[in-house]
Amino acid sequence: MHEVFAALARNAAQRPTAPAFRDEAQALDWRALAARVASLSAALADAPPVIGLAVPGGVDFVVADLAVTLSGRRFVPVPFFFSPEQQAHVLADAEVGAIIGAPRAAAFGLPVIAPNAPDRGADLPRYGGGATRVIYTSGSSGRPKGVVLGDRQLSGSVMALADVVGATAGDKHLSVLPLAQLLEQSCGVFLPILAGAETVFSAGATFALLGGPVAPFLAAMVRENPTTSLVAPTLLARWLDAIEAGGAPAPASLRFVAVGGALTPPSVLARAELHAIPVCEGYGLSECCAVVAMNPPNDAMAGTVGRVLDPLDVKIIDGEITVAGPTVMQGYLNGAAAPERWHTGDNGHFHEGRLVVEGRRDALIVTGAGRNISPEWVESRVTADPRIKGAALCHGADDSLVLVVALSTPIAPTDIAALLTDLPAYARPAAVIFAEPKHPGLLFPAGTPNRAVAADVARSGARFPLFENSEACLT
């Protein structure tokens, strides 16, 4: 993080009135940002060693993130999209001593620090190093696990991303992903600071990502004319649907739209190319500081997640993606230190020097006929449809494949079948079960399924036939 704070000081000195960060309520230039970070960092002099952040996003999140880090304390974002039980677990597990946020943060039962400290007129101090942050990932069980990251991991990742993205002071980043997610912290906060670029936050666009109305996202794209942004495959599909329904085309200003978090359907990538949206797939996980591989602008290869970031060593061991290098986490909070080579749990291979991700190893379905099926391969076909918020392929006790689908709007089983006709017989589900998107625990915030919950739904839900001659039904 030394590079980030050095860039912040440089921007404040050389481009003091240039725009830095803006949301619906406030805007900061580089001089004002540096002043607010310095003031809040100084106000934390007597604060506990672990500080939580209960600000959903925007400018206040950026100031708090930088100030807590500058003060050398441990920074723990509390994701607003976590359940109250998950949030309580985060605070207890990380031993958070105080929390930055609005007055309602007092509900957590901890001392509350306002994100706006009185301006003391002090210059931005030099970063002394040693700060850590804990990023909580809900994981497959829904119980959050804390990933501990320090200067080594963050600096290695951010500097490698800077080379791939090629950010400049002329960029404008539209921030859509929640800032509690490390990828948006890196690409929406740290990279713009390094480049001296502007970041614009849109709460409406973020809620569109989480299943809310898509109109605020579309309006933000038209209004801001950004050059970069990060989206999830489901939001990309909804964006394309709006364009094809007669909406505004993608801004010509865009040069880099990263997409990740789940497998992007090939049909969605093809449509994005048709509509001149410069989509670049990437791959990563919090345990490796969010990004392991990324397609660069103007050199993206569809079907791959790009080349491995320069400081990392990725090897495929028994079909599994493994990662070594400076971005591998320190370890899980309250757990053992991470090994030198991290086994990601994802299957993959290389194609022409680029990484291809095949799906989670623990989700792999092996049928009675000996077929290996990655659920993501099947699920991505249906989640390309905007009426479908999420899907999970399940393996029944009778060796049949059942697709659990969470609907945004009604859809007929025949329409589901039409989305799957390009699959080989052995991968076609025999039936579909429709579920509500709000079914407790069925979908994680990014739209990916909780497979344990989906399996329960598959055992009890009403089945509608899809492919009666599915090979997976044969024994």
Side-chain angles (χ1 to χ4, degrees):
M1 291 293 285
H2 291 85
E3 300 90 346
V4 171
F5 285 105
L8 176 55
R10 183 173 62 251
N11 293 336
Q14 298 177 359
R15 308 174 63 242
T17 61
F21 292 91
R22 170 165 52 90
D23 60 25
E24 292 90 343
Q26 56 187 317
L28 297 180
D29 59 26
W30 291 109
R31 178 168 53 199
L33 175 62
R36 278 194 56 183
V37 170
S39 295
L40 182 54
S41 178
L44 296 174
D46 298 322
V50 183
I51 306 293
L53 178 60
V55 174
V59 170
D60 284 345
F61 189 109
V62 175
V63 171
D65 182 333
L66 295 171
V68 173
T69 304
L70 184 61
S71 74
R73 284 162 175 76
R74 173 162 284 178
F75 174 65
V76 184
V78 182
F80 71 86
F81 48 81
F82 274 12
S83 70
E85 293 77 15
Q86 288 176 319
Q87 292 178 339
H89 169 74
V90 167
L91 297 173
D93 187 58
E95 299 182 341
V96 171
I99 197 157
I100 296 175
R104 69 176 184 277
F108 290 117
L110 293 169
V112 177
I113 301 170
N116 292 303
D119 188 352
R120 305 187 181 193
D123 292 333
L124 190 73
R126 184 181 179 86
Y127 174 56
T132 58
R133 67 186 55 217
V134 182
I135 302 298
Y136 276 85
T137 173
S138 55
S140 58
S141 67
R143 185 173 181 81
K145 292 190 295 184
V147 174
V148 183
L149 304 165
D151 288 327
R152 177 176 182 263
Q153 289 80 17
L154 290 168
S155 291
S157 180
V158 172
M159 298 309 292
L161 278 171
D163 289 339
V164 173
V165 176
T168 70
D171 275 319
K172 179 192 283 188
H173 180 79
L174 177 61
S175 180
V176 176
L177 299 185
L179 275 175
Q181 295 184 354
L182 182 61
L183 180 59
E184 192 62 49
Q185 293 169 30
S186 295
C187 292
V189 179
F190 305 144
L191 280 188
I193 291 175
L194 284 176
E198 180 182 10
T199 293
V200 178
F201 299 103
S202 169
T206 299
F207 282 108
L209 177 83
L210 300 176
V214 74
F217 168 79
L218 304 174
M221 277 288 172
V222 171
R223 181 179 65 251
E224 300 298 341
N225 286 303
T227 60
T228 66
S229 193
L230 309 179
V231 299
T234 52
L235 182 57
L236 176 60
R238 294 175 71 195
W239 184 10
L240 290 164
D241 290 328
I243 293 173
E244 291 168 358
S253 57
L254 284 170
R255 67 174 189 83
F256 176 78
V257 178
V259 61
L263 184 65
T264 306
S267 61
V268 171
L269 294 174
R271 291 166 64 202
E273 183 177 7
L274 181 65
H275 292 285
I277 300 177
V279 170
C280 298
E281 287 187 278
Y283 163 75
L285 57 167
S286 297
E287 290 84 350
C288 297
C289 215
V291 183
V292 170
M294 177 69 75
N295 274 293
N298 303 317
D299 190 26
M301 180 181 288
T304 80
V305 294
R307 300 186 189 280
V308 172
L309 296 189
D310 186 49
L312 301 184
D313 176 30
V314 170
K315 288 186 180 0
I316 308 299
I317 299 177
D318 295 329
E320 182 182 12
I321 300 169
T322 70
V323 185
T327 69
V328 174
M329 67 174 178
Q330 294 181 7
Y332 288 122
L333 187 65
N334 303 319
E340 183 176 341
R341 178 167 294 278
W342 184 253
H343 286 248
T344 66
D346 292 314
N347 285 324
H349 65 273
F350 282 99
H351 174 72
E352 296 184 6
R354 313 206 185 202
L355 185 62
V356 177
V357 180
E358 299 168 353
R360 295 292 299 170
R361 291 173 71 84
D362 56 8
L364 189 70
I365 293 173
V366 182
T367 70
R371 298 285 194 176
N372 294 339
I373 303 169
S374 173
E376 294 93 337
W377 175 39
V378 178
E379 295 157 1
S380 68
R381 297 299 198 276
V382 297
T383 54
D385 191 298
R387 295 170 292 180
I388 297 173
K389 190 170 182 181
L393 185 69
C394 301
H395 193 197
D398 59 352
D399 202 37
S400 67
L401 295 177
V402 179
L403 188 66
V404 176
V405 172
L407 296 179
S408 296
T409 56
I411 184 172
T414 52
D415 290 341
I416 298 286
L419 296 169
L420 302 170
T421 53
D422 66 326
L423 293 173
Y426 70 84
R428 293 176 180 174
V432 63
I433 295 174
F434 295 116
E436 291 288 334
K438 293 184 179 179
H439 183 99
L442 179 59
L443 298 179
F444 293 120
T448 53
N450 184 324
R451 299 194 182 281
V453 175
D456 288 338
V457 173
R459 283 190 287 268
S460 59
R463 298 189 179 194
F464 297 89
L466 289 178
F467 297 101
E468 294 183 358
N469 63 340
S470 168
E471 183 182 316
C473 296
L474 305 177
T475 57

